[in-house]
Amino acid sequence: MPATEKTVRRSALVASAVLLSTALTAPAALAAPGPKPSATPPAHTSIVGGERLAKPGTQVNLAAGVPVLPKELSARSWIVADAESGEVLAAHNAHWRLAPASTLKMLFADTLLPKWPRTTTHRVEPSDLAGVGAGSSMVGVKEDETYSVHDLWLGVFLRSGNDAVHVLSAMNGGVDKTVQEMNEHAKELQALDTHAVSPDGYDAPGQVSSAYDLTLIARSGLQKKDFREYCSTVRAQFPGETKKNKKGKRVRGSFEIQNTNRLLSGDYDVPVYQGIAGVKNGNTTNAGATFTGVAERDGKVLLVTVMNPQKKGSNGVYKETARLFDWGFAAAGKVEPVGELVPPKSVEEANAAAGPSASPGQAGGGTGAGSKPVASADTGGGADGMGVALGIAGGVVVLLAGGAFLVNRRWPLPDLVRRRPRP
C-alpha cells in the first residue's frame, strides 16, 4: 500500500477513534468508581491502533511456528508490543478503560520531566503536601526540607511516592494545572482512553486508562533520557530529615530506597527478569495490581502492560508480565501483528503534511541519527549505577544509536543501551 494511502487511512481511523473515545469518556468522568470494575469488557472500544484492538477478548494471529500464549493469564487487560516498530504482537481487551493506579505516574513524569533541570531545588511547604490521599505510598518527603528535582523524581519512580508527586505538582502551579496538562499530553499521545483526575494515580471517580494507553505513554517516556534513568534505577539514597546530633550540630543524613518494581529489584518469589529496565507498577483498591514493563533480549525491545490480574497470589502482576515477555520474545519475528502503537498526533500530522518523499523527522526526545549513543550512565546522587542502561548480563552493548521517526512507523528508542547486570 502506498505511504500516502496509509497516512490517509490512519488519519481516518484516528478521527473515528477520537469521536468514539469522547463518547466513552463523558459518562465515565461522572461516575464514581465502584469497589470492583465490571467483570465484562465493553463490546465496543477505541479503534486507535487498529480495528482488532477494539474487539473484546484475546487478539493474536497464531500460525505455524508461533508459540501458544501462556495458559496462566488472569488479567482483565494486557498487551505485548514491539517498542521499536510499534507493532502489537498480541492483546487482550487492549482498550478496556480501567483504573490505572500508579502506572498513571508515567504520564505525570512524561508531562513534567522536561520542566526543570535535575539540579533545581525546592523547599517543601506544608501546602505542597495537602491533598495526599490516605494510605498513599510515600517516599518520606518532609515539610521545611529542601530537595532537588532529581531526589523527587527518584521518589516518584522508585517508591511511587505520592508525596513527591504532590511537591512536583506544587512546583508546577498546583494539582489542577498539572492534571490539566497531563490530560492535554494524553491527547497529544493519542492515549484517548486516558482521563487523569489525580496526578499520582490515587483512586478517583472517572480516573481511567487502558493497557494500550499505558503502553503508548511508556513508549513516549522512554524517549527521554531522564525517564529511562529513573525507571531503571534499582536503589538510591534519599535525603532524610535534618536533626541535631549529639554535639548539637544540625545534620542531615539519608536513607536507602529501593524500586518497588519486582521484576527489576526481585522478591522472594519473583526473580529479576533478564533484560528488564522498568517501567512502572501500581496497586490500589479499585485498580488492583497494574504494571508496564520494558525489556530487551537478543536485540529485541518489548513493552508489556498487565492490568488487574484476577488470580490470587503474591506478585501475580509480575509473574503474568514475565510470562508475556517470554512469549513475546519467542514470538517476535514469527507472529503477524494485530495492531500498532500510533505515534503522537503532532508527529503523525507532520508526516502527513510532509508526504512520503520527505526526509524522516527526529523521534521526540531523541538524538540525531549521527549522534554518538550513550554506552552507559551512572544515576549519581547515591544510586547504584544502573542508570539508563537496559539489558542482560554480558557487558555494555549499544542497541540503538539514535534514530528517526519514519513514515513506515518505526520509532526507535534513542541511545537505549543494555543495563549492567546486577551483582
Side-chain angles (χ1 to χ4, degrees):
M1 184 183 294
T4 50
E5 187 176 345
K6 285 184 178 180
T7 301
V8 171
R9 182 182 178 189
R10 182 188 292 169
S11 299
L13 285 174
V14 172
S16 300
V18 170
L19 293 174
L20 180 57
S21 179
T22 301
L24 289 169
T25 302
L30 299 176
K36 290 281 186 180
S38 170
T40 305
H44 302 287
T45 60
S46 170
I47 61 170
V48 171
E51 294 182 2
R52 285 282 297 273
L53 300 182
K55 297 179 179 179
T58 302
Q59 306 301 318
V60 63
N61 290 319
L62 293 179
V66 177
V68 297
L69 287 165
K71 293 181 179 180
E72 297 181 359
L73 296 176
S74 66
R76 294 182 183 274
S77 177
W78 55 259
I79 192 169
V80 181
D82 187 309
E84 299 173 275
S85 69
E87 292 179 344
V88 176
L89 306 185
H92 180 75
N93 301 325
H95 283 290
W96 193 358
R97 303 171 77 242
L98 300 167
S102 285
T103 49
L104 193 66
K105 288 183 172 78
M106 294 188 297
L107 178 61
F108 172 77
D110 197 36
T111 304
L112 265 62
L113 260 173
K115 298 218 171 192
W116 312 283
R118 61 171 56 201
T119 54
T120 301
T121 58
H122 177 77
R123 185 177 177 84
V124 177
E125 300 178 3
S127 59
D128 295 347
L129 298 174
V132 176
S136 288
S137 53
M138 311 280 265
V139 67
V141 173
K142 300 297 183 182
E143 298 175 5
D144 300 321
E145 293 284 5
T146 298
Y147 299 86
S148 70
V149 165
H150 176 70
D151 295 330
L152 294 170
W153 282 121
L154 285 171
V156 171
F157 277 90
L158 273 66
R159 296 298 303 171
S160 204
N162 288 5
D163 47 356
V165 169
H166 278 255
V167 171
L168 287 163
S169 296
M171 293 173 63
N172 189 51
V175 167
D176 291 345
K177 179 175 180 287
T178 298
V179 168
Q180 179 182 348
E181 291 179 2
M182 289 170 63
N183 284 320
E184 290 170 354
H185 187 54
K187 291 178 182 177
E188 156 62 15
L189 296 180
Q190 304 199 66
L192 304 179
D193 301 323
T194 299
H195 179 72
V197 177
S198 68
D200 50 25
Y202 191 83
D203 285 336
Q207 182 152 272
V208 290
S209 190
S210 67
Y212 182 88
D213 279 14
L214 292 174
T215 308
L216 271 189
I217 293 164
R219 193 177 184 222
S220 176
L222 288 165
Q223 305 299 305
K224 298 175 175 63
K225 181 180 177 180
D226 283 351
F227 189 104
R228 294 193 299 276
E229 175 187 323
Y230 293 130
C231 80
S232 65
T233 299
V234 178
R235 61 179 64 84
Q237 291 295 313
F238 192 80
E241 190 172 5
T242 302
K243 297 180 179 179
K244 288 184 179 181
N245 62 14
K246 294 180 180 179
K247 296 182 179 180
K249 184 179 179 181
R250 293 180 64 80
V251 295
R252 189 180 190 189
S254 63
F255 56 92
E256 184 178 278
I257 57 174
Q258 189 176 62
N259 203 311
T260 54
N261 170 2
R262 297 309 180 198
L263 291 188
L264 189 69
S265 61
D267 204 358
Y268 72 97
D269 61 342
V270 177
V272 174
Y273 189 81
Q274 184 184 48
I276 194 69
V279 176
K280 190 70 189 75
N281 57 320
N283 199 321
T284 65
T285 301
N286 291 332
T290 61
F291 180 63
T292 297
V294 63
E296 180 272 343
R297 187 176 297 172
D298 298 328
K300 181 66 68 176
V301 185
L302 299 182
L303 282 162
V304 171
T305 296
V306 173
M307 300 187 76
N308 199 351
Q310 299 301 289
K311 187 176 180 180
K312 303 299 182 183
S314 174
N315 290 320
V317 72
Y318 302 110
K319 294 173 183 177
E320 295 195 17
T321 298
R323 294 186 189 106
L324 287 170
F325 267 130
D326 287 344
W327 177 87
F329 287 122
K334 302 172 185 176
V335 66
E336 288 294 321
V338 294
E340 66 171 346
L341 301 177
V342 296
K345 184 163 53 174
S346 59
V347 175
E348 186 170 73
E349 290 172 350
N351 283 343
S357 62
S359 298
Q362 177 61 40
T367 56
S371 301
K372 293 182 180 179
V374 176
S376 64
D378 194 304
T379 56
D384 67 353
M386 294 303 170
V388 301
L390 162 74
I392 60 176
V396 180
V397 182
V398 173
L399 292 180
L400 298 164
F405 191 106
L406 306 181
V407 176
N408 68 2
R409 299 173 298 201
R410 183 174 176 80
W411 193 5
L413 303 178
D415 68 21
L416 192 61
V417 296
R418 289 184 174 179
R419 177 170 61 81
R420 297 190 194 98
R422 293 181 66 244

